[in-house]
Structures are given as C-alpha cells and as structure tokens.
Amino acid sequence: MAVVNVKSEIAGNVWKIQSKPGDRIEADGEIMILESMKMEIPVLSPKAGVIREIKVNEGEAIGEGQLVAVIDA
C-alpha cells in the first residue's frame, strides 16, 4: 500500500472538511473545500484509497504547498 501526501495548491482558509480518517475515497473525490478570495476551491484526492489522517482543521489558514491530508492508496 502506498502513502499519498495531499498538499494544498493555494493559500487560503479551510472552509469545510468533507472526509474523515477511515473514509474510503475515490480518485478525484473531494477531501475538503478551501476558501480563497471569496472562491471555494475543492481539494481532490489524487488516488483512490482510505483517508489516514487530516492534517488541518476547519477555519484554519493554510499556505500553498502545505500538507493537508494523508491517504493509504
């Protein structure tokens, strides 16, 4: 099983977390939604697998390239 680190492509705020540890997720499944400049940007899973860990909390400000989730693929 491979470990996939999911990183944010933009700086913004974590608006809503859609998945929790233990959830199965498909490739391109929505992990969370970020808010940046009044736009909602989804963070998608690059591969199918199981969410191992969510590294951020709702309402948290994050930076571009920050690790936001870990998936067992």
Side-chain angles (χ1 to χ4, degrees), residues 19-39:
S19 301
K20 63 184 184 308
D23 286 355
R24 293 193 81 47
I25 193 159
E26 296 300 319
D28 294 325
E30 199 168 88
I31 300 171
M32 64 186 67
I33 301 172
L34 304 180
E35 183 276 324
S36 181
M37 298 191 306
K38 299 186 181 184
M39 292 177 50

PDB file of all heavy atoms in Angstrom, residues 19-39:
ATOM      1  N   SER A  19     -14.212  14.789   4.287  1.00  0.00           N
ATOM      2  CA  SER A  19     -13.850  13.402   4.586  1.00  0.00           C
ATOM      3  C   SER A  19     -13.163  13.337   5.938  1.00  0.00           C
ATOM      4  O   SER A  19     -12.549  14.305   6.382  1.00  0.00           O
ATOM      5  CB  SER A  19     -12.897  12.863   3.515  1.00  0.00           C
ATOM      6  OG  SER A  19     -13.488  12.926   2.247  1.00  0.00           O
ATOM      7  N   LYS A  20     -13.251  12.166   6.576  1.00  0.00           N
ATOM      8  CA  LYS A  20     -12.602  11.988   7.880  1.00  0.00           C
ATOM      9  C   LYS A  20     -11.737  10.733   7.835  1.00  0.00           C
ATOM     10  O   LYS A  20     -11.904   9.888   6.951  1.00  0.00           O
ATOM     11  CB  LYS A  20     -13.633  11.922   8.990  1.00  0.00           C
ATOM     12  CG  LYS A  20     -14.584  10.755   8.910  1.00  0.00           C
ATOM     13  CD  LYS A  20     -15.628  10.837  10.001  1.00  0.00           C
ATOM     14  CE  LYS A  20     -16.551   9.655  10.033  1.00  0.00           C
ATOM     15  NZ  LYS A  20     -17.207   9.293   8.810  1.00  0.00           N
ATOM     16  N   PRO A  21     -10.800  10.594   8.768  1.00  0.00           N
ATOM     17  CA  PRO A  21      -9.964   9.398   8.787  1.00  0.00           C
ATOM     18  C   PRO A  21     -10.822   8.127   8.806  1.00  0.00           C
ATOM     19  O   PRO A  21     -11.834   8.054   9.501  1.00  0.00           O
ATOM     20  CB  PRO A  21      -9.158   9.554  10.085  1.00  0.00           C
ATOM     21  CG  PRO A  21      -9.072  11.039  10.264  1.00  0.00           C
ATOM     22  CD  PRO A  21     -10.411  11.558   9.794  1.00  0.00           C
ATOM     23  N   GLY A  22     -10.407   7.165   7.988  1.00  0.00           N
ATOM     24  CA  GLY A  22     -11.139   5.906   7.871  1.00  0.00           C
ATOM     25  C   GLY A  22     -12.091   5.867   6.688  1.00  0.00           C
ATOM     26  O   GLY A  22     -12.528   4.803   6.279  1.00  0.00           O
ATOM     27  N   ASP A  23     -12.427   7.029   6.136  1.00  0.00           N
ATOM     28  CA  ASP A  23     -13.328   7.078   4.972  1.00  0.00           C
ATOM     29  C   ASP A  23     -12.615   6.567   3.728  1.00  0.00           C
ATOM     30  O   ASP A  23     -11.446   6.881   3.496  1.00  0.00           O
ATOM     31  CB  ASP A  23     -13.798   8.515   4.691  1.00  0.00           C
ATOM     32  CG  ASP A  23     -14.825   9.025   5.666  1.00  0.00           C
ATOM     33  OD1 ASP A  23     -15.277   8.245   6.530  1.00  0.00           O
ATOM     34  OD2 ASP A  23     -15.165  10.220   5.574  1.00  0.00           O
ATOM     35  N   ARG A  24     -13.339   5.796   2.915  1.00  0.00           N
ATOM     36  CA  ARG A  24     -12.833   5.407   1.595  1.00  0.00           C
ATOM     37  C   ARG A  24     -13.093   6.586   0.658  1.00  0.00           C
ATOM     38  O   ARG A  24     -14.119   7.234   0.745  1.00  0.00           O
ATOM     39  CB  ARG A  24     -13.558   4.164   1.094  1.00  0.00           C
ATOM     40  CG  ARG A  24     -13.237   2.924   1.919  1.00  0.00           C
ATOM     41  CD  ARG A  24     -13.673   1.632   1.294  1.00  0.00           C
ATOM     42  NE  ARG A  24     -12.839   1.046   0.275  1.00  0.00           N
ATOM     43  CZ  ARG A  24     -11.515   0.866   0.292  1.00  0.00           C
ATOM     44  NH1 ARG A  24     -10.830   1.315   1.295  1.00  0.00           N
ATOM     45  NH2 ARG A  24     -10.879   0.272  -0.690  1.00  0.00           N
ATOM     46  N   ILE A  25     -12.146   6.817  -0.223  1.00  0.00           N
ATOM     47  CA  ILE A  25     -12.292   7.920  -1.168  1.00  0.00           C
ATOM     48  C   ILE A  25     -11.848   7.456  -2.552  1.00  0.00           C
ATOM     49  O   ILE A  25     -10.917   6.670  -2.675  1.00  0.00           O
ATOM     50  CB  ILE A  25     -11.503   9.166  -0.693  1.00  0.00           C
ATOM     51  CG1 ILE A  25     -11.900  10.400  -1.499  1.00  0.00           C
ATOM     52  CG2 ILE A  25     -10.008   8.929  -0.715  1.00  0.00           C
ATOM     53  CD1 ILE A  25     -11.583  11.704  -0.827  1.00  0.00           C
ATOM     54  N   GLU A  26     -12.556   7.906  -3.551  1.00  0.00           N
ATOM     55  CA  GLU A  26     -12.217   7.571  -4.937  1.00  0.00           C
ATOM     56  C   GLU A  26     -11.197   8.590  -5.460  1.00  0.00           C
ATOM     57  O   GLU A  26     -11.050   9.673  -4.902  1.00  0.00           O
ATOM     58  CB  GLU A  26     -13.479   7.613  -5.803  1.00  0.00           C
ATOM     59  CG  GLU A  26     -14.528   6.581  -5.419  1.00  0.00           C
ATOM     60  CD  GLU A  26     -14.027   5.154  -5.528  1.00  0.00           C
ATOM     61  OE1 GLU A  26     -13.320   4.840  -6.507  1.00  0.00           O
ATOM     62  OE2 GLU A  26     -14.328   4.357  -4.624  1.00  0.00           O
ATOM     63  N   ALA A  27     -10.542   8.244  -6.548  1.00  0.00           N
ATOM     64  CA  ALA A  27      -9.669   9.208  -7.214  1.00  0.00           C
ATOM     65  C   ALA A  27     -10.516  10.412  -7.608  1.00  0.00           C
ATOM     66  O   ALA A  27     -11.640  10.252  -8.091  1.00  0.00           O
ATOM     67  CB  ALA A  27      -9.027   8.579  -8.441  1.00  0.00           C
ATOM     68  N   ASP A  28     -10.027  11.590  -7.379  1.00  0.00           N
ATOM     69  CA  ASP A  28     -10.719  12.853  -7.635  1.00  0.00           C
ATOM     70  C   ASP A  28     -11.895  13.081  -6.682  1.00  0.00           C
ATOM     71  O   ASP A  28     -12.731  13.960  -6.934  1.00  0.00           O
ATOM     72  CB  ASP A  28     -11.185  12.983  -9.085  1.00  0.00           C
ATOM     73  CG  ASP A  28     -10.017  13.066 -10.056  1.00  0.00           C
ATOM     74  OD1 ASP A  28      -8.982  13.662  -9.680  1.00  0.00           O
ATOM     75  OD2 ASP A  28     -10.127  12.542 -11.174  1.00  0.00           O
ATOM     76  N   GLY A  29     -11.989  12.311  -5.598  1.00  0.00           N
ATOM     77  CA  GLY A  29     -13.006  12.550  -4.575  1.00  0.00           C
ATOM     78  C   GLY A  29     -12.638  13.781  -3.761  1.00  0.00           C
ATOM     79  O   GLY A  29     -11.466  14.096  -3.566  1.00  0.00           O
ATOM     80  N   GLU A  30     -13.646  14.486  -3.280  1.00  0.00           N
ATOM     81  CA  GLU A  30     -13.437  15.733  -2.556  1.00  0.00           C
ATOM     82  C   GLU A  30     -13.055  15.467  -1.093  1.00  0.00           C
ATOM     83  O   GLU A  30     -13.811  14.848  -0.356  1.00  0.00           O
ATOM     84  CB  GLU A  30     -14.710  16.558  -2.624  1.00  0.00           C
ATOM     85  CG  GLU A  30     -14.521  18.009  -2.318  1.00  0.00           C
ATOM     86  CD  GLU A  30     -15.761  18.807  -2.681  1.00  0.00           C
ATOM     87  OE1 GLU A  30     -16.643  18.914  -1.826  1.00  0.00           O
ATOM     88  OE2 GLU A  30     -15.827  19.309  -3.824  1.00  0.00           O
ATOM     89  N   ILE A  31     -11.882  15.936  -0.694  1.00  0.00           N
ATOM     90  CA  ILE A  31     -11.416  15.770   0.684  1.00  0.00           C
ATOM     91  C   ILE A  31     -11.884  16.947   1.534  1.00  0.00           C
ATOM     92  O   ILE A  31     -12.366  16.774   2.642  1.00  0.00           O
ATOM     93  CB  ILE A  31      -9.877  15.677   0.736  1.00  0.00           C
ATOM     94  CG1 ILE A  31      -9.403  14.471  -0.078  1.00  0.00           C
ATOM     95  CG2 ILE A  31      -9.398  15.596   2.188  1.00  0.00           C
ATOM     96  CD1 ILE A  31      -7.902  14.419  -0.269  1.00  0.00           C
ATOM     97  N   MET A  32     -11.721  18.150   0.995  1.00  0.00           N
ATOM     98  CA  MET A  32     -12.120  19.365   1.717  1.00  0.00           C
ATOM     99  C   MET A  32     -12.311  20.492   0.723  1.00  0.00           C
ATOM    100  O   MET A  32     -11.972  20.366  -0.455  1.00  0.00           O
ATOM    101  CB  MET A  32     -11.080  19.749   2.771  1.00  0.00           C
ATOM    102  CG  MET A  32      -9.738  20.131   2.231  1.00  0.00           C
ATOM    103  SD  MET A  32      -8.484  20.398   3.515  1.00  0.00           S
ATOM    104  CE  MET A  32      -8.279  18.748   4.162  1.00  0.00           C
ATOM    105  N   ILE A  33     -12.852  21.599   1.227  1.00  0.00           N
ATOM    106  CA  ILE A  33     -13.052  22.797   0.418  1.00  0.00           C
ATOM    107  C   ILE A  33     -12.285  23.937   1.073  1.00  0.00           C
ATOM    108  O   ILE A  33     -12.415  24.171   2.283  1.00  0.00           O
ATOM    109  CB  ILE A  33     -14.543  23.163   0.295  1.00  0.00           C
ATOM    110  CG1 ILE A  33     -15.314  22.008  -0.346  1.00  0.00           C
ATOM    111  CG2 ILE A  33     -14.716  24.445  -0.515  1.00  0.00           C
ATOM    112  CD1 ILE A  33     -16.815  22.184  -0.331  1.00  0.00           C
ATOM    113  N   LEU A  34     -11.489  24.623   0.273  1.00  0.00           N
ATOM    114  CA  LEU A  34     -10.759  25.796   0.736  1.00  0.00           C
ATOM    115  C   LEU A  34     -11.469  27.053   0.244  1.00  0.00           C
ATOM    116  O   LEU A  34     -12.133  27.031  -0.792  1.00  0.00           O
ATOM    117  CB  LEU A  34      -9.333  25.787   0.198  1.00  0.00           C
ATOM    118  CG  LEU A  34      -8.488  24.553   0.508  1.00  0.00           C
ATOM    119  CD1 LEU A  34      -7.104  24.717  -0.113  1.00  0.00           C
ATOM    120  CD2 LEU A  34      -8.391  24.325   1.998  1.00  0.00           C
ATOM    121  N   GLU A  35     -11.317  28.127   0.991  1.00  0.00           N
ATOM    122  CA  GLU A  35     -11.858  29.427   0.585  1.00  0.00           C
ATOM    123  C   GLU A  35     -10.682  30.362   0.385  1.00  0.00           C
ATOM    124  O   GLU A  35      -9.814  30.468   1.250  1.00  0.00           O
ATOM    125  CB  GLU A  35     -12.813  29.958   1.657  1.00  0.00           C
ATOM    126  CG  GLU A  35     -13.487  31.274   1.306  1.00  0.00           C
ATOM    127  CD  GLU A  35     -12.654  32.495   1.634  1.00  0.00           C
ATOM    128  OE1 GLU A  35     -11.935  32.498   2.645  1.00  0.00           O
ATOM    129  OE2 GLU A  35     -12.709  33.456   0.854  1.00  0.00           O
ATOM    130  N   SER A  36     -10.632  30.983  -0.786  1.00  0.00           N
ATOM    131  CA  SER A  36      -9.578  31.936  -1.086  1.00  0.00           C
ATOM    132  C   SER A  36     -10.170  33.029  -1.960  1.00  0.00           C
ATOM    133  O   SER A  36     -10.763  32.731  -3.005  1.00  0.00           O
ATOM    134  CB  SER A  36      -8.426  31.241  -1.812  1.00  0.00           C
ATOM    135  OG  SER A  36      -7.387  32.163  -2.075  1.00  0.00           O
ATOM    136  N   MET A  37     -10.047  34.254  -1.529  1.00  0.00           N
ATOM    137  CA  MET A  37     -10.567  35.415  -2.262  1.00  0.00           C
ATOM    138  C   MET A  37     -12.040  35.222  -2.638  1.00  0.00           C
ATOM    139  O   MET A  37     -12.443  35.438  -3.780  1.00  0.00           O
ATOM    140  CB  MET A  37      -9.704  35.703  -3.490  1.00  0.00           C
ATOM    141  CG  MET A  37      -8.284  36.052  -3.097  1.00  0.00           C
ATOM    142  SD  MET A  37      -7.228  36.701  -4.386  1.00  0.00           S
ATOM    143  CE  MET A  37      -7.347  35.490  -5.660  1.00  0.00           C
ATOM    144  N   LYS A  38     -12.836  34.747  -1.676  1.00  0.00           N
ATOM    145  CA  LYS A  38     -14.280  34.545  -1.806  1.00  0.00           C
ATOM    146  C   LYS A  38     -14.651  33.473  -2.841  1.00  0.00           C
ATOM    147  O   LYS A  38     -15.781  33.417  -3.297  1.00  0.00           O
ATOM    148  CB  LYS A  38     -14.990  35.859  -2.099  1.00  0.00           C
ATOM    149  CG  LYS A  38     -14.796  36.861  -0.991  1.00  0.00           C
ATOM    150  CD  LYS A  38     -15.610  38.092  -1.202  1.00  0.00           C
ATOM    151  CE  LYS A  38     -15.332  39.047  -0.052  1.00  0.00           C
ATOM    152  NZ  LYS A  38     -16.122  40.227  -0.105  1.00  0.00           N
ATOM    153  N   MET A  39     -13.690  32.612  -3.174  1.00  0.00           N
ATOM    154  CA  MET A  39     -13.956  31.488  -4.068  1.00  0.00           C
ATOM    155  C   MET A  39     -13.794  30.195  -3.283  1.00  0.00           C
ATOM    156  O   MET A  39     -12.953  30.102  -2.397  1.00  0.00           O
ATOM    157  CB  MET A  39     -12.976  31.490  -5.251  1.00  0.00           C
ATOM    158  CG  MET A  39     -13.177  32.652  -6.187  1.00  0.00           C
ATOM    159  SD  MET A  39     -11.956  32.701  -7.525  1.00  0.00           S
ATOM    160  CE  MET A  39     -12.007  31.061  -8.162  1.00  0.00           C
TER     161      MET A  39
END
